[in-house]
Amino acid sequence: MSTLVSKKRWANVYEWFMVILVVVVVIMLFIEYRLELSPQASILFQRVDTSILIIFALDYVIRLFWAEKKKTFIRSNIPDLVAIVPFSSVFRLARLARLTRLIRLTRTMRLVRVAVWLSRFKDKFSVFIRTNGLIYMVFITMAVTLMGAVSIYLLEDMSVIDSLWWSFVTITTVGYGDISPSTNGGKLLASVLMLVGIGFLGMVTGTIATYFLGDKKTEAVSYRDMTVQSIKLKLDDFDNLSEEEIDQMSAVLKSLLKKE
């Protein structure tokens, strides 16, 4: 069991590393949409994006190499294959031909790529967000943020956009200071939002610690529970499962029974 847990631990580290890479791509896309990048920054972003694409391409090739049924693997992972196609290079050729409509699709295809990569880790994210009841805290924080935006809109006579912006930066405890309340009600509301934000950040920190730093006994138990939970989530989408995935789930369940 210790060897199994050790392998699972390294697999978790690897998968979360891949998740972080996806988050980096999302942040880069957001920055590109919001800001006008300098030529040097554009080149840097392009290199980072290409490097991440290469990592995911290698990941796909390695998983294909280890798959027992290669054709089944390819059929069940078509979105992953599409996601690693270097569309940026294709659209550079289109740019030479002045096909501007195709060029505009570059960012759209990158968004599709991010969506495919995120869907690959949906089971792991689902397990994580249910740890320590984090999912409830997320909903509570979102609701408080919206109520804070509505309240400050009424108290301070702000615009809708400014109200949402102020509520978001306040609950995240960033507090840029570009917008600040002047009424006593607004200041009291800001205090409540900051307390909720601090509580949420503390909850996230505690959840990360529980997820990654549990003792060995808890880790062994959580591995079994996480595996069973992951299989349950996949069975919810039973009609789209491939034969290879069903065989893998059956083998995993049998191995868990033998360990007990």
Side-chain angles (χ1 to χ4, degrees):
M1 177 63 79
S2 60
T3 303
L4 190 63
V5 171
S6 178
K7 290 182 179 179
K8 181 63 179 179
R9 182 186 303 165
W10 282 109
N12 278 335
V13 171
Y14 172 75
E15 290 187 2
W16 280 106
F17 169 72
M18 301 296 279
V19 170
I20 291 172
L21 292 182
V22 178
V23 173
V24 170
V25 175
V26 172
I27 294 174
M28 288 169 52
L29 282 172
F30 177 78
I31 293 175
E32 289 179 4
Y33 274 113
R34 297 291 298 177
L35 301 176
E36 187 71 28
L37 299 178
S38 65
Q40 294 82 359
S42 298
I43 293 174
L44 176 62
F45 273 44
Q46 182 182 345
R47 289 177 179 175
V48 173
D49 183 70
T50 302
S51 300
I52 293 175
L53 176 61
I54 291 173
I55 292 174
F56 273 90
L58 290 174
D59 171 77
Y60 179 88
V61 171
I62 292 172
R63 288 190 293 131
L64 174 61
F65 176 78
W66 286 107
E68 294 181 1
K69 299 178 181 179
K70 310 246 187 295
K71 290 184 179 179
T72 303
F73 176 87
I74 293 174
R75 284 199 300 269
S76 24
N77 291 276
I78 291 178
D80 287 4
L81 180 60
V82 174
I84 62 177
V85 174
F87 285 101
S88 58
S89 298
V90 175
F91 288 126
R92 278 196 210 101
L93 296 177
R95 187 181 294 112
L96 294 177
R98 295 184 180 180
L99 299 178
T100 55
R101 290 186 179 179
L102 290 179
I103 297 172
R104 292 172 185 172
L105 292 176
T106 304
R107 287 180 179 174
T108 303
M109 295 311 302
R110 289 172 65 192
L111 288 172
V112 171
R113 181 191 302 166
V114 168
V116 171
W117 288 344
L118 286 175
S119 66
R120 173 181 161 186
F121 303 107
K122 65 180 183 298
D123 293 342
K124 182 169 289 295
F125 178 75
S126 178
V127 173
F128 172 78
I129 201 168
R130 284 176 170 79
T131 304
N132 290 346
L134 178 63
I135 186 171
Y136 302 111
M137 191 63 184
V138 170
F139 286 133
I140 291 173
T141 304
M142 291 173 61
V144 171
T145 302
L146 291 176
M147 288 189 293
V150 173
S151 300
I152 201 67
Y153 171 80
L154 297 174
L155 290 170
E156 301 284 339
D157 195 26
M158 293 184 185
S159 66
V160 174
I161 298 299
D162 286 344
S163 299
L164 289 170
W165 169 252
W166 176 85
S167 184
F168 180 77
V169 298
T170 302
I171 205 165
T172 55
T173 69
V174 174
Y176 280 109
D178 54 341
I179 303 175
S180 58
S182 57
T183 64
N184 292 331
K187 293 176 182 178
L188 178 61
L189 176 63
S191 302
V192 173
L193 287 176
M194 285 186 281
L195 288 175
V196 173
I198 292 171
F200 175 72
L201 292 177
M203 187 72 171
V204 171
T205 304
T207 301
I208 293 173
T210 301
Y211 190 86
F212 288 105
L213 304 177
D215 57 36
K216 292 184 178 180
K217 181 178 179 180
T218 303
E219 189 174 30
V221 174
S222 65
Y223 166 73
R224 180 184 182 281
D225 293 342
M226 287 171 56
T227 302
V228 173
Q229 180 67 22
S230 176
I231 291 175
K232 287 180 179 179
L233 291 171
K234 290 182 179 179
L235 288 175
D236 290 339
D237 194 26
F238 181 79
D239 293 336
N240 295 323
L241 290 176
S242 64
E243 293 183 4
E244 181 187 17
E245 289 174 322
I246 295 175
D247 292 339
Q248 288 176 349
M249 287 188 289
S250 176
V252 170
L253 290 174
K254 289 179 180 178
S255 67
L256 289 177
L257 287 174
K258 291 179 182 179
K259 294 295 181 180
E260 292 183 345

